[in-house]
């Protein structure tokens, strides 16, 4: 059996130790030695086996191909960053001028260029602030404006935002009291008006982004609520900054502010297509009050998030935008080409129409026509656990690989993963 110190002098393992750290390399060596002791490989194959066992990076997260048909899949990290945002993150990984004015040499406002880019994208916002996620944006607003006071909210907007986290619990944890008005399916501006009093901090309007209520319904619009002479805070959820032609019913920040909202909160890692963060947009004095609250320090974002957010706002279209705009006929042609190439290798695959969704709590009920590769069901597990993990979905006893969220430049990687899963 080759000694550990001898194995660690192998040029491949020495280079890996510099890149990944000695601990991960030693763990791979020990695992390879155990395979040799068990008789699964020959002793002279230990170094090769150890090199093959090395992880791609020192981190535990593995990049995957999202072929689920859910554009913003929460379990897969929601919005994939654009190439510009990834480059910005890499550039910001070292020392940066995040809080320094290089011209004067004195301290500067943190994230000033990212905040300017955000205001430029939402002209009706007099000011902007960024925290670490969408829920944090709402928590900061409630804590700074309504601790010990009342928030007026419709019963139909007391939503659960995922993984058991419920909006009422989140708001009450800030020290605010909730004044519920209306009913699950119908709440009017008069219901809000009747609930206002000296303890009212603001009216909260929440977009029920992950479900729909249809039939005998009524809800008050932002313009109606803005006439009540009390601040209106609107949580739009999915982070759409301006109207989108494919999502006509999805609220956006610009429209809500124009209608009279004092403050809009949203997520950055959904329809905006950026990193995880929470956006606060609105009146200057209100946003400044939130930004100077002590809680804002605990919720602030790091330089990598600021870099990715700015590049998302100022750079080219994001992968999310491209996926939303994808042409169904082109998707079907891509699926047909891939199916023909894979079928020539004897793989049971065919191109089929599919329906994708936005996901991430955005645009509930909106179906996006798409195309997919249809494979036998056992492929699902093989693809998930392959060298290039691919996550699809099971439908009618088949594994579907939906192409709407898969960039065209990943087609060869996807085909390679399918071939590996087929043993080709």
């Amino acid at each position: 059996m080759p000694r550990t110190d001898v194995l660690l002098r192998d040029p491949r393992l020495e280079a890996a130790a510099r890149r990944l750290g000695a601990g991960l390399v030693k763990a791979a060596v020990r695992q390879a030695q155990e395979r040799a002791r068990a008789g699964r490989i020959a002793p002279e194959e230990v170094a090769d086996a150890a090199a093959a066992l090395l992880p791609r990076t020192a981190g535990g997260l593995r990049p995957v191909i999202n072929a689920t048909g859910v554009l913003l899949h929460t379990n897969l990290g929601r919005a994939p960053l654009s190439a510009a945002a990834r480059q910005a993150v890499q550039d910001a990984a070292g020392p940066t001028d995040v809080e320094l004015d290089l011209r004067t040499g004195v301290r500067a406002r943190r994230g000033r260029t990212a905040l300017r880019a955000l205001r430029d994208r939402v002209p009706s916002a007099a000011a902007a602030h960024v925290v670490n996620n969408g829920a944090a944006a709402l928590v900061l607003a409630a804590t700074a404006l309504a601790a010990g006071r009342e928030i007026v909210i419709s019963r139909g907007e007391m939503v659960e935002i995922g993984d058991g986290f419920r909006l009422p619990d989140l708001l009450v944890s800030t020290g605010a009291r909730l004044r519920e008005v209306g009913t699950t399916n119908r709440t009017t501006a008069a219901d809000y008006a009747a609930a206002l009093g000296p303890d009212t901090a603001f009216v909260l309007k929440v977009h029920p982004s992950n479900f729909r209520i249809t039939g005998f319904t009524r809800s008050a619009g932002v313009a109606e609520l803005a006439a009540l002479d009390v601040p209106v805070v609107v949580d739009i959820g999915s982070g759409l900054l301006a109207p989108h032609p494919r999502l006509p019913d999805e609220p956006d920040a610009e429209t809500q502010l124009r209608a009279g909202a004092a403050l809009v909160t949203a997520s950055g890692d959904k329809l905006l297509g950026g990193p995880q963060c929470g956006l606060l947009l609105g009146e200057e004095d209100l946003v400044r009050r939130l930004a100077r609250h002590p809680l804002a320090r605990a919720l602030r974002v790091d330089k990598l998030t600021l870099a990715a957010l700015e590049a998302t706002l100022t750079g080219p279209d994001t992968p999310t935008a491209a996926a939303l705009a994808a042409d169904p006929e082109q998707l079907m042609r891509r699926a047909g080409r891939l199916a023909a190439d894979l079928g020539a290798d004897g793989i049971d695959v065919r191109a089929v129409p599919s329906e994708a969704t936005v996901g991430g709590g955005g645009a509930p009920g909106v179906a996006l026509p798409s195309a997919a590769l249809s494979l036998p069901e056992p492929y699902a597990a093989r693809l998930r656990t392959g060298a290039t993990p691919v996550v699809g979905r099971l439908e009618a006893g088949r594994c579907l690989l939906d192409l709407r969220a898969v960039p065209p430049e990943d087609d060869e990687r996807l085909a390679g993963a399918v071939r590996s899963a087929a043993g080709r």
Side-chain angles (χ1 to χ4, degrees):
M1 179 68 60
R3 296 201 327 255
T4 299
D5 61 334
V6 173
L7 289 166
L8 291 174
R9 289 198 291 271
D10 181 288
R12 295 168 297 176
L13 300 181
E14 282 186 332
R18 291 191 294 270
R19 181 171 59 89
L20 301 172
L24 289 175
V25 175
K26 287 180 180 178
V29 166
R30 287 193 294 269
Q31 192 174 348
Q33 288 171 329
E34 286 301 318
R35 289 186 178 183
R37 291 189 183 98
R40 293 159 59 192
I41 60 174
E44 59 268 22
E45 297 174 325
V46 170
D48 291 339
L53 288 168
L54 291 170
R56 179 174 171 271
T57 67
L61 297 178
R62 296 184 64 189
V64 306
I65 294 177
N66 175 15
T68 62
V70 181
L71 274 54
L72 303 170
H73 201 300
T74 298
N75 301 136
L76 301 180
R78 291 185 180 158
L81 294 181
S82 66
R86 296 183 193 199
Q87 182 62 56
V89 169
Q90 184 174 334
D91 292 344
T96 70
D97 60 345
V98 64
E99 288 187 19
L100 180 68
D101 187 327
L102 294 174
R103 293 174 302 169
T104 63
V106 300
R107 185 169 184 166
R109 186 183 181 191
R110 184 181 185 88
R112 57 201 177 278
T113 56
L115 295 176
R116 187 182 309 122
L118 185 54
R119 292 197 307 274
D120 288 345
R121 286 284 299 273
V122 187
S124 294
H129 186 64
V130 181
V131 291
N132 55 16
N133 62 30
L138 199 51
V139 163
L140 179 58
T143 303
L145 305 178
R149 302 181 67 194
E150 285 187 349
I151 298 172
V152 179
I153 182 172
S154 168
R155 289 186 173 90
E157 298 173 6
M158 306 276 278
V159 300
E160 181 174 313
I161 58 178
D163 198 26
F165 290 97
R166 293 177 172 176
L167 186 69
D169 298 337
L170 197 68
L171 294 171
V172 169
S173 74
T174 68
R177 301 189 305 275
L178 299 185
R179 182 73 179 270
E180 302 173 28
V181 297
T183 63
T184 302
N185 59 319
R186 291 180 66 83
T187 305
T188 67
D191 293 323
Y192 289 93
L196 300 184
D199 279 346
T200 302
F202 60 82
V203 167
L204 176 61
K205 184 151 185 68
V206 178
H207 175 53
S209 56
N210 52 8
F211 69 95
R212 290 190 304 169
I213 298 177
T214 61
F216 185 57
T217 63
R218 173 77 164 86
S219 63
V222 172
E224 293 178 273
L225 299 178
L228 297 178
D229 197 28
V230 64
V232 178
V233 177
V234 182
D235 178 33
I236 62 171
S238 64
L240 200 62
L241 299 186
H244 194 289
R246 292 217 167 171
L247 307 173
D249 296 326
E250 190 72 10
D252 65 275
E254 177 69 16
T255 300
Q256 304 307 309
L257 290 169
R258 283 181 179 273
L263 183 72
V264 169
T265 64
S267 295
D269 58 344
K270 296 181 181 178
L271 287 172
L272 177 58
Q276 176 182 296
C277 58
L279 312 178
L280 296 115
L281 300 149
E283 297 175 359
E284 188 169 4
D285 58 341
L286 202 59
V287 174
R288 185 185 301 114
R289 183 176 169 186
L290 301 183
R292 299 308 304 167
H293 191 276
L295 184 60
R297 174 78 178 195
L299 301 178
R300 78 177 189 178
V301 294
D302 73 337
K303 60 183 180 179
L304 303 183
T305 301
L306 290 169
L309 175 61
E310 183 174 358
T312 298
L313 292 164
T314 62
D317 278 350
T318 65
T320 300
L324 273 175
D327 178 53
E329 292 183 2
Q330 291 183 357
L331 292 173
M332 184 56 74
R333 284 195 290 270
R334 281 175 60 196
R337 286 194 298 269
L338 285 166
D341 290 345
L342 294 169
D345 293 333
I347 297 172
D348 176 10
V349 58
R350 57 181 181 268
V352 297
S354 177
E355 281 192 352
T357 59
V358 171
V366 174
L368 302 171
S370 187
L373 297 178
S374 175
L375 294 154
E377 183 173 344
Y379 274 79
R382 296 179 206 161
L383 287 164
R384 283 198 315 272
T385 56
T388 300
V390 178
V391 183
R393 71 176 188 268
L394 293 176
E395 194 171 291
R398 300 281 289 184
C399 171
L400 296 189
L401 304 182
D402 192 295
L403 297 183
R404 185 173 272 272
V406 179
E409 56 268 26
D410 278 348
D411 280 359
E412 287 305 312
R413 292 178 60 225
L414 179 64
V418 173
R419 288 189 179 96
S420 295
R424 301 293 193 270

